[in-house]
Amino acid sequence: MQSSLGSSGRILVIGGTGMMGQHLVKASLAAGHPTAVLVRPASSSAAADPSKLKLLEAIKASGATVIGGDIYDHESLVAAFKQVDVVISAVGHHGPHDLEDGQLRIVAAIKEAGNVRRFVPSEYGCDVEQAARSAAVLEPARSILLAKVRVRDAVRAAGIPHTFICSYWAHGFVLPRLGDPHVDGPPATKATVFGDDATRAIFVHEADMAALTVRAVDDPRALDKILYVRPAANTCSLAHLVHLWGDKTGRALDKYYMPEEELVARIRDSPLPLNFQLAMVHATVVAGVCDQTVDAEAGGVEATDLYQDVNFVTVDDFLDGLKEGITVN
Ligand SMILES: NC(=O)c1ccc[n+]([C@@H]2O[C@H](COP(=O)([O-])OP(=O)(O)OC[C@H]3O[C@@H](n4cnc5c(N)ncnc54)[C@H](OP(=O)(O)O)[C@@H]3O)[C@@H](O)[C@H]2O)c1
């Protein structure tokens, strides 16, 4: 079995300026790893978006190294990978083809570099292999899940040491909207409720996802495994989020329970990424595929067993912070 790298293990995050990637960079630095971020030349040029440049400055000031590169520039990837021990991808996507193509390019470059001791492909959601088995999952979620399954297949076939991370619904992405992808923040008077109180989902804060990913890449017990992050206190229905928010704010929200037919019609009529987000809501509340058990046969391990010392940010904590206008980081 592979030995652990220790805190001197060098970690490269691809997508380190993204929503999930920023947390991975912070977690890697916090664990003491020499940390690098692969950044596209256009994203760090003087012509780049000023907010992106500011973020890059903050990333550098926090101690990470910036390496220029692009997943569509094979040589740049191979050169970057040769400088590190671990590659964590948190690249976003614009649909299944883009997602699969990008991740497979990373796989090809890892094969050529030949030195990478652990790879984490860009997932951070439900267990895609379990979810994709359900015929009830609608497009475009189905194609996106299947693209992530094919990336897993390619990683395994290439014999690349890996860990697949299942960290379910990200707190910051879903809790401020109380599960409704149509809105940006918590409702003041009216809330749309998706599903019933019985069908549950799992919610994990991005900082916890990131801290556990960084622990797992340095842990032989998570080598070639699927790491399921399923904190018991963070398993509830989307409907519960609306009830909890109403209780916390003391406001009686006017609730609209969206019927399944309307949800299906909205998925059909919405553009990406809204249709994908709504299809994942459907996968959660109708197909019921987002409250998963550990698939031990497929190599699943439970993060809450491996890392019993972690105090997860709970849904309750996050909504308390939201009520006070505090972002729980
Ligand atoms: N479970 C959940 O609730 C949840 C929610 C959201 C996302 N996710 C998953 O998390 C993963 C990351 O998504 P995200 O939303 O965090 O992504 P994101 O915010 O869209 O970030 C995209 C990142 O990818 C980088 N990137 C894009 N194209 C690149 C290229 N050609 N070469 C190098 N870097 C490139 C971007 O770099 P630049 O700075 O150069 O633009 C940016 O840092 C995805 O797998 C997604 O499905 C899960």
Side-chain angles (χ1 to χ4, degrees):
M1 185 172 276
Q2 196 184 59
S3 58
S4 60
L5 300 162
S7 63
S8 60
R10 298 158 300 171
I11 294 183
L12 174 74
V13 180
I14 312 178
T17 59
M19 194 175 79
M20 306 298 257
Q22 290 182 46
H23 290 274
L24 288 157
V25 174
K26 273 190 209 157
S28 175
L29 288 166
H33 294 280
T35 303
V37 183
L38 187 93
V39 175
R40 289 182 281 188
S43 303
S44 56
S45 74
D49 172 2
S51 63
K52 186 64 69 84
L53 288 175
K54 206 167 154 199
L55 178 58
L56 274 176
E57 284 313 312
I59 286 174
K60 283 191 234 169
S62 67
T65 311
V66 168
I67 300 181
D70 190 313
I71 52 179
Y72 294 98
D73 174 353
H74 180 74
E75 298 312 320
S76 74
L77 282 190
V78 175
F81 295 171
K82 284 192 170 158
Q83 301 174 49
V84 299
D85 303 296
V86 173
V87 174
I88 300 178
S89 170
V91 177
H93 60 82
H94 306 286
H97 304 298
D98 175 42
L99 183 163
E100 187 174 349
D101 184 34
Q103 296 302 291
L104 293 184
R105 284 168 187 271
I106 296 171
V107 170
I110 290 176
K111 266 167 82 176
E112 186 172 330
N115 60 295
V116 172
R117 295 180 62 186
R118 196 73 70 91
F119 172 49
V120 179
S122 188
E123 286 204 14
Y124 319 110
C126 63
D127 179 5
V128 290
E129 285 167 302
Q130 282 191 52
R133 273 180 223 134
S134 166
V137 174
L138 300 181
E139 289 294 353
R142 174 155 212 83
S143 294
I144 289 173
L145 294 173
L146 285 168
K148 289 190 175 184
V149 171
R150 286 192 293 274
V151 173
R152 283 191 182 185
D153 291 344
V155 172
R156 289 180 178 128
I160 295 171
H162 60 269
T163 304
F164 302 135
I165 306 292
C166 300
S167 52
Y168 300 93
W169 286 104
H171 275 192
F173 183 66
V174 72
L175 298 186
R177 314 147 171 227
L178 307 183
D180 182 357
H182 297 98
V183 298
D184 284 335
T189 53
K190 284 186 185 168
T192 300
V193 182
F194 296 93
D196 54 25
D197 286 321
T199 315
R200 301 179 315 168
I202 302 166
F203 303 91
V204 176
H205 194 277
E206 293 85 330
D208 291 331
M209 170 283 292
L212 289 169
T213 300
V214 169
R215 283 177 79 163
V217 296
D218 197 20
D219 184 347
R221 296 172 302 171
L223 174 63
D224 295 343
K225 301 283 188 211
I226 305 167
L227 185 78
Y228 291 78
V229 188
R230 305 179 318 135
N234 283 354
T235 304
C236 67
S237 64
L238 292 185
H240 180 69
L241 302 178
V242 178
H243 304 320
L244 197 58
W245 182 250
D247 291 348
K248 285 188 184 300
T249 56
R251 277 191 221 121
L253 289 171
D254 186 5
K255 299 187 191 77
Y256 173 62
Y257 291 82
M258 187 178 285
E260 186 188 341
E261 315 79 72
E262 184 180 343
L263 177 55
V264 171
R266 286 187 184 225
I267 294 166
R268 190 191 57 221
D269 299 338
S270 302
L272 260 173
L274 181 59
N275 59 354
F276 169 57
Q277 293 161 6
L278 288 167
M280 285 310 300
V281 166
H282 179 275
T284 303
V285 302
V286 180
V289 299
C290 294
D291 178 16
Q292 301 176 319
T293 52
V294 172
D295 187 348
E297 230 169 81
V301 289
E302 167 72 64
T304 56
D305 286 344
L306 294 189
Y307 312 113
Q308 294 185 9
D309 56 316
V310 176
N311 282 318
F312 287 93
V313 179
T314 64
V315 167
D316 222 40
D317 295 333
F318 190 95
L319 292 184
D320 280 339
L322 190 66
K323 192 183 83 169
E324 303 303 330
I326 303 163
T327 306
V328 180
N329 276 315

